[in-house]
Amino acid sequence: MSRGLLIDRFLDDSGWGGCGRDPLPVDCSFRRYERLTCDDGRHAMLMDAPPPMEDVRPFVKLARHLRRMGVSVPEVMAADEEEGFLVIEDFGDDTYTRLLARGADETALYAVAVDVLAALQVRPAAVDVDVPRYDTDKLLDEAVLFTDWYLPSVTGHAVDPIARIDFVDAWASALAAVTGAPDAPPDTLVLRDFHVDNLMLLRDRTGIASCGLLDFQDAVIGHPAYDLMSLLEDARRDIAPDLQAAMQQRYFAARRDLDRGAFMTAYRVLGAQRHTKVLGIFARKAVRDLMPAYLCHIPRLWRLLEQNLSEPALAPVAAWLAKHVPAEQRRIPEIG
């Protein structure tokens, strides 16, 4: 049976058949969305996440968990986890990205997002969910996307195996300041893609509930610095240094239990790791998945990465990059 017919059957069986269906623009994943509008006034979103490329089960599990934690995420109204179909609550069109493009109050939007993180992270039950740990092995697996996808896309050849081993060793040394630090804070639920593309303003809600979360199915258990860094060092958007500093101060005002120095070391190390990873992801999107639109963000990623390399814990990574990636290779790949 075709996927279109499977969708029709799922909607009929779940009570959403016969509703109007309006496709939404595709994102960086293989997921596809349609807005459902019914004659009886109901409205929702259809998520089409085709296996094996996508798996809706983590989304369902984490949506239920986060709702129990008091965080605004879409309610799952119907699910066919085997085929990869969900009907979820429609949060509307007011993504942070669209609002900021229209001139919305940047400080106010970011402040609520920071408050969401601080509130979630201090709830002990936030980690009571079966998700992977964001440990050194997982962080290293992500970092090598840079050597395996980004560098070949700019050099035209695979990275020397010995150089790749040295890259992993450099990152293992740097990450020890995060995963092995004796003064590290307790682990928390890390949402991983916490940035303006995945946040929404819910005008009918107040406080932290007014910030809706969309993309959280890849959540892990790890260091609390990761999501704050993901928000304030956005691969897709420039954020003024004074706003970054103000939001960091707001976060620390709510998290007085944290050692700021150790936290900011982890913030910069994890920031460098994320930017390194995303350079590889965006190159892979262009080369493997024929999605070159994200390559325009490569210069910003390099700027963010290079800013973080002044962190002493990142000295081995900075040295590796200085040796193996000259300035002329820190650029947008010429795909095709």
Side-chain angles (χ1 to χ4, degrees):
M1 186 181 296
S2 72
R3 191 143 189 91
L5 290 175
L6 287 172
I7 291 174
D8 291 341
R9 185 175 69 181
F10 166 67
L11 292 175
D12 287 340
D13 291 347
S14 59
W16 292 90
C19 298
R21 293 166 54 181
D22 183 22
L24 273 64
V26 296
D27 62 8
C28 192
S29 72
F30 292 98
R31 295 186 298 275
R32 191 177 64 85
Y33 295 89
E34 294 181 6
R35 173 164 282 130
L36 305 176
T37 307
C38 305
D39 291 339
D40 59 8
R42 292 179 302 148
H43 58 95
M45 299 292 295
L46 167 69
M47 180 195 295
D48 173 13
M53 292 83 74
E54 299 285 343
D55 183 358
V56 300
R57 289 171 295 184
F59 183 96
V60 173
K61 174 173 62 179
L62 282 156
R64 291 169 178 160
H65 178 66
L66 288 167
R67 285 172 65 84
R68 288 194 297 268
M69 295 299 101
V71 178
S72 289
V73 298
E75 178 185 358
V76 177
M77 301 173 172
D80 183 338
E81 297 181 359
E82 195 70 28
E83 295 291 350
F85 301 130
L86 300 178
V87 173
I88 62 176
E89 185 179 1
D90 182 2
F91 275 173
D93 296 312
D94 283 342
T95 65
Y96 272 30
T97 300
R98 291 192 183 102
L99 293 169
L100 291 166
R102 298 200 298 262
D105 186 334
E106 187 178 38
T107 299
L109 290 175
Y110 275 91
V112 180
V114 168
D115 292 349
V116 169
L117 286 181
L120 177 63
Q121 291 177 357
V122 298
R123 294 176 184 172
V127 297
D128 293 340
V129 59
D130 182 21
V131 296
R133 299 198 67 81
Y134 219 7
D135 57 16
T136 299
D137 287 343
K138 190 168 184 65
L139 289 162
L140 289 174
D141 286 345
E142 293 180 343
V144 295
L145 291 169
F146 177 84
T147 53
D148 296 352
W149 288 96
Y150 174 78
L151 275 184
S153 75
V154 294
T155 65
H157 57 79
V159 172
D160 176 79
I162 300 301
R164 187 180 187 274
I165 291 172
D166 291 342
F167 179 80
V168 173
D169 288 344
W171 267 112
S173 176
L175 289 168
V178 177
T179 58
D183 50 0
D187 283 346
T188 189
L189 184 66
V190 177
L191 302 170
R192 290 181 73 192
D193 285 312
F194 194 81
H195 52 76
V196 295
D197 283 358
N198 294 327
L199 303 176
M200 302 200 70
L201 177 62
L202 306 179
R203 299 180 188 274
D204 59 341
R205 306 184 192 186
T206 59
I208 65 169
S210 66
C211 179
L213 280 58
L214 295 181
D215 196 348
F216 46 79
Q217 64 274 358
D218 295 324
V220 291
I221 302 298
H223 198 287
Y226 192 93
D227 281 336
L228 184 67
M229 170 276 301
S230 177
L231 177 70
L232 300 179
E233 295 195 0
D234 196 329
R236 299 166 179 82
R237 184 174 191 272
D238 293 324
I239 302 170
D242 59 344
L243 178 61
Q244 293 184 44
M247 292 301 108
Q248 289 167 2
Q249 286 297 108
R250 186 180 184 91
Y251 176 82
F252 285 126
R255 296 295 316 271
R256 297 183 184 276
D257 56 307
L258 296 173
D259 180 316
R260 292 194 187 193
F263 184 95
M264 289 308 298
T265 293
Y267 181 101
R268 289 185 285 268
V269 171
L270 291 171
Q273 186 272 351
R274 180 175 175 85
H275 306 322
T276 302
K277 169 186 73 171
V278 177
L279 283 165
I281 289 173
F282 285 174
R284 183 176 65 184
K285 283 289 179 186
V287 173
R288 186 191 70 183
D289 304 329
L290 304 179
M291 295 179 176
Y294 299 93
L295 294 179
C296 66
H297 303 301
I298 295 293
R300 180 181 299 107
L301 283 163
W302 270 112
R303 289 195 302 272
L304 291 168
L305 173 56
E306 289 168 351
Q307 289 168 15
N308 282 321
L309 291 178
S310 61
E311 164 60 47
L314 285 164
V317 176
W320 191 96
L321 291 170
K323 178 179 179 179
H324 295 283
V325 192
E328 62 270 18
Q329 292 179 4
R330 302 183 183 194
R331 59 173 174 83
I332 297 175
E334 298 173 2
I335 305 298

